[in-house]
Amino acid sequence: MSSQYPHTITTPGKVVFLSLVMCIILVCAMAIALVVGTVDVSFGHIMGIISGTLPTDDPVRLIIFKIRLPRIILAGLVGFSLSLGGIVFQAILRNPLADPFILGVSSGSACGAVLGIIFGFGFSVGIPVLSFVGALLTIYLVMSLGARRMGMESSTILLTGVIINAFFTAVIMFFISISADERLHTMLFWLYGDLSQGQYGQLAFIAPIVLVVFIWLYSLSKELNIITTGDEIALQLGVNVAATKKTALVLVSLLMGLVVAFSGLIGFVGLIVPHLARMVFRTDHRLLIPIGSLGGAIFLIAADTLARTLVSPSELPVGVVTAFMGAPFFILLLRKKGSQWSRS
Amino acid sequence: MEPILTLKNIGHSYGNQRALKGVDLNLMDGEILGILGPNGSGKSTLLKVLDGLLTPTEGEIRLRGRLFRDLNRSELARDVAMVAQENYFRFSFTALEVVLMGRYPHLKRLQFEGRRDMDVAYNALKATHALDLADRPIHELSGGERQRVLIARALAQEPKVILLDEPTSFLDLKFKREIFRLISALSRDQGLSVVLVSHDIDLVAMYCSRLVMLKKGEVYTTGEPEAVVTAENVGAVYECPVLVDKNPQTGRPRVSVV
């Protein structure tokens, strides 16, 4: 197709090819992350594992399969989800700075999770559900306070998000201050963002949901393209704007609730990765959604590997690493394009 | 011949606010219909009704005899296209990608554009003299270039009717002329019916074959430009004394505020 026409457009072949390239990079990143860390993994170990000659109770083998691999997969799933959520949020709000973390959706979700812990709920159902409810409520708040009256392009929505974020962070702090038991530590973890708790049981719970949400959101990619250019024109072309937005926002809430429940507040992934992906591949969501999501997985695996190794043998919360990278990036974007993204 | 759009006794109220009342209107094939009237006269409401974005509280509207309410949105979008006033380009779509969005009502969910869609998009870009813009990011284009791309997107819907809401409001004189010439060429060459809303009485009078003048939601007068754009009509509808003479070159009416 593209060979017959002088201009580049998105074709299914291009989407599949570039997604495969991203998958290969992802696998490489995972492989590197597996062997890098406080405990050295030698070439001999790797060969031993591949050939099956390394005994099953070998400590290196245990570290790789029981600790590092689930953590890396969790990082991948979380990064994938955060980036996907960012892309969809940005399209619906028509604002490249609208990341769920910046708009307070993540902290609203964390608030729900913290409440879940106080009520003594478990990680299997109760905490993720409350976390999802927290995300959904925050999205509703941001949309009704910031978006409806002032127009979604305005910086008002960012300001609304900042305020909501500050409020929910304060609520979390409040709960941490008043609870004087060992659950405190579990709660603190939400404020930093931490992937070290990754377990296979959680992964089996998260992965299918992320996959279904991804496919669902991908099926809305053409609608998202058109919605970014205006609601009226989208209606005109036959896009069911209200239903598309509602579906997408609920799906993103689900994703954020899930991610926050298992990894805490990891910021800026949904801002940096979609932005870089758009710089390279432009905005067609049929391409941007898979590429940006896979990019998010790669990014967070890399960030978490840094978090594990930078101050080895101690380690940093991954949220600290992404914030170190993300905050200057955000300011740069705001400075460069600030006026363009305020109401025009 | 049967009109393409038929409006019968259309009325619309926003709550207690009456926006349109008793509008009867036929749109014929290949004609360029200009809608004039001061702010708040119901122009935009009428355009939304014509586009099916607004279901009027009274009256009925038909596309080739079929009631609008019996058509689904995609069916309507395949026959009626709109060049809206409000457009947002915060993200880097190319002009070609924007034009291809016009193929949306012709495609199934998740179906990618095929060869025919590409041909239609290229022809639309050619018709609006925008082919050289195809690879340019839409947000970097000038007002006039962008408007040509948006008209191309409307053409890519392969409509019978194009509705334009203030198509030249942000353009300077050169681009105004260019857009109006483009619209009349499209209407002539492709047999398109055009409805346009504009504040620019002179240009509308020059390029439209028929005018409708609205006052407070009602049709004040309708007919050929010479009959509609008179000092009495414009004075009464816009509540502003004017002088109307003839453009010496085209013979069309020309309005000056006195």
Side-chain angles (χ1 to χ4, degrees):
Chain A
M1 178 89 45
S2 53
S3 58
Q4 290 158 16
Y5 298 98
H7 304 100
T8 49
I9 59 151
T10 310
T11 58
K14 191 171 166 185
V15 173
V16 170
F17 174 74
L18 289 171
S19 302
L20 279 178
V21 171
M22 291 300 279
C23 284
I24 291 168
I25 300 174
L26 176 63
V27 170
C28 293
M30 290 174 73
I32 294 168
L34 267 182
V35 297
V36 173
T38 308
V39 174
D40 278 325
V41 177
S42 69
F43 187 69
H45 284 124
I46 300 166
M47 292 314 289
I49 289 170
I50 293 171
S51 61
T53 50
L54 202 69
T56 43
D57 57 349
D58 183 274
V60 170
R61 193 192 170 100
L62 286 178
I63 285 172
I64 287 186
F65 285 108
K66 291 269 168 324
I67 298 174
R68 284 191 193 161
L69 188 59
R71 177 172 181 160
I72 289 165
I73 296 174
L74 180 64
L77 285 170
V78 170
F80 186 94
S81 307
L82 289 173
S83 187
L84 175 58
I87 290 169
V88 173
F89 238 59
Q90 286 144 22
I92 286 180
L93 295 174
R94 293 187 202 111
N95 189 329
L97 296 178
D99 156 68
F101 178 77
I102 289 163
L103 291 185
V105 176
S106 303
S107 57
S109 172
C111 222
V114 165
L115 278 177
I117 292 180
I118 288 178
F119 296 152
F121 289 163
F123 270 95
S124 51
V125 180
I127 291 174
V129 165
L130 274 184
S131 185
F132 163 58
V133 171
L136 200 61
L137 277 177
T138 318
I139 284 184
Y140 179 75
L141 265 179
V142 172
M143 295 297 287
S144 55
L145 291 178
R148 264 182 218 157
R149 226 166 294 164
M150 312 296 187
M152 298 198 288
E153 299 70 33
S154 73
S155 33
T156 318
I157 192 154
L158 291 179
L159 204 57
T160 311
V162 168
I163 294 163
I164 289 176
N165 198 359
F167 175 75
F168 281 124
T169 310
V171 173
I172 298 171
M173 293 295 214
F174 173 76
F175 283 128
I176 291 175
S177 321
I178 60 162
S179 69
D181 56 20
E182 81 285 353
R183 290 182 299 188
L184 185 91
H185 182 76
T186 346
M187 282 186 220
L188 270 175
F189 132 100
W190 266 283
L191 289 179
Y192 303 131
D194 186 351
L195 295 163
S196 61
Q197 310 299 319
Q199 293 157 12
Y200 287 113
Q202 297 175 354
L203 300 178
F205 177 68
I206 301 171
I209 300 179
V210 171
L211 186 68
V212 169
V213 170
F214 168 77
I215 292 169
W216 200 337
L217 286 171
Y218 189 76
S219 76
L220 301 174
S221 46
K222 275 200 291 189
E223 285 76 5
L224 291 176
N225 283 344
I226 299 174
I227 285 175
T228 66
T229 76
D231 284 354
E232 191 159 288
I233 205 71
L235 278 173
Q236 207 281 329
L237 284 169
V239 176
N240 191 339
V241 175
T244 305
K245 284 186 178 179
K246 221 174 273 172
T247 309
L249 289 177
V250 170
L251 288 173
V252 172
S253 308
L254 183 63
L255 219 46
M256 291 305 118
L258 200 64
V259 161
V260 168
F262 292 104
S263 69
L265 293 178
I266 300 174
F268 298 105
V269 179
L271 179 78
I272 300 176
V273 180
H275 190 84
L276 293 178
R278 258 187 234 110
M279 274 169 61
V280 183
F281 301 103
R282 291 201 310 276
T283 313
D284 190 337
H285 287 83
R286 293 175 294 185
L287 188 61
L288 185 63
I289 285 182
I291 299 295
S293 306
L294 288 167
I298 296 165
F299 177 85
L300 200 59
I301 288 172
D304 189 50
T305 308
L306 283 179
R308 284 193 288 126
T309 51
L310 275 181
V311 292
S312 169
S314 176
E315 64 175 59
L316 295 167
V318 66
V320 172
V321 176
T322 60
F324 268 134
M325 292 189 270
F329 189 84
F330 180 79
I331 291 167
L332 208 72
L333 279 185
L334 199 62
R335 273 184 67 91
K336 210 174 93 197
K337 302 259 179 86
S339 57
Q340 191 194 327
W341 289 329
S342 58
R343 184 126 183 95
S344 63
Chain B
M1 191 166 64
E2 190 191 9
I4 177 131
L5 286 178
T6 321
L7 279 72
K8 220 158 128 192
N9 196 26
I10 292 291
H12 190 75
S13 305
Y14 299 103
N16 291 330
Q17 196 80 24
R18 206 153 176 78
L20 283 180
K21 195 181 162 197
V23 175
D24 291 307
L25 195 66
N26 291 329
L27 183 70
M28 308 306 288
D29 283 280
E31 78 169 332
I32 306 182
L33 179 74
I35 300 176
L36 291 172
N39 292 329
S41 60
K43 299 192 300 290
S44 303
T45 308
L46 180 56
L47 210 60
K48 278 194 182 134
V49 167
L50 286 170
D51 197 23
L53 287 178
L54 191 69
T55 307
T57 45
E58 296 152 34
E60 53 179 48
I61 172 163
R62 290 169 189 273
L63 174 77
R64 286 257 191 266
R66 292 180 68 192
L67 279 170
F68 262 32
R69 62 164 175 270
D70 295 335
L71 299 165
N72 68 36
R73 193 59 247 181
S74 292
E75 283 179 293
L76 205 52
R78 288 194 287 263
D79 278 329
V80 182
M82 163 91 113
V83 178
Q85 224 182 334
E86 269 205 337
N87 289 282
Y88 303 92
F89 296 109
R90 297 290 190 281
F91 297 105
S92 52
F93 288 106
T94 65
L96 178 61
E97 286 172 332
V98 170
V99 173
L100 281 170
M101 287 177 192
R103 299 303 297 164
Y104 179 80
H106 296 268
L107 295 170
K108 294 192 195 74
R109 174 168 294 277
L110 273 178
Q111 187 188 352
F112 282 68
E113 294 86 0
R115 185 178 299 201
R116 192 177 126 62
D117 301 298
M118 290 297 280
D119 289 340
V120 171
Y122 274 108
N123 285 335
L125 281 165
K126 266 182 220 149
T128 58
H129 313 294
L131 194 56
D132 54 328
L133 306 174
D135 251 346
R136 297 262 304 278
I138 185 89
H139 60 278
E140 287 175 12
L141 300 183
S142 73
E145 291 173 329
R146 185 178 298 184
Q147 201 64 326
R148 286 190 312 208
V149 172
L150 292 175
I151 294 173
R153 165 156 83 177
L155 286 179
Q157 288 174 241
E158 298 181 289
K160 310 275 190 314
V161 181
I162 289 196
L163 312 170
L164 299 114
D165 192 2
E166 301 278 3
T168 58
S169 53
F170 298 114
L171 303 182
D172 58 32
L173 210 53
K174 176 188 161 200
F175 289 123
K176 274 188 187 176
R177 177 173 181 270
E178 191 183 304
I179 294 296
F180 271 101
R181 287 173 65 92
L182 174 65
I183 291 164
S184 66
L186 290 174
S187 168
R188 189 184 58 232
D189 300 341
Q190 310 195 3
L192 272 174
S193 306
V194 176
V195 180
L196 65 92
V197 161
S198 178
H199 277 298
D200 207 319
I201 305 180
D202 289 358
L203 279 169
V204 168
M206 193 183 300
Y207 288 100
C208 292
S209 40
R210 193 158 63 97
L211 300 182
V212 172
M213 203 176 253
L214 294 176
K215 187 186 184 185
K216 293 184 179 144
E218 291 184 72
V219 175
Y220 184 82
T221 177
T222 175
E224 294 190 348
E226 289 78 7
V228 171
V229 181
T230 63
E232 295 77 33
N233 289 342
V234 175
V237 168
Y238 286 83
E239 292 169 354
C240 168
V242 294
L243 181 88
V244 174
D245 61 356
K246 270 188 182 174
N247 180 320
Q249 206 179 334
T250 61
R252 293 292 180 110
R254 183 171 67 176
V255 178
S256 326
V257 176
V258 290

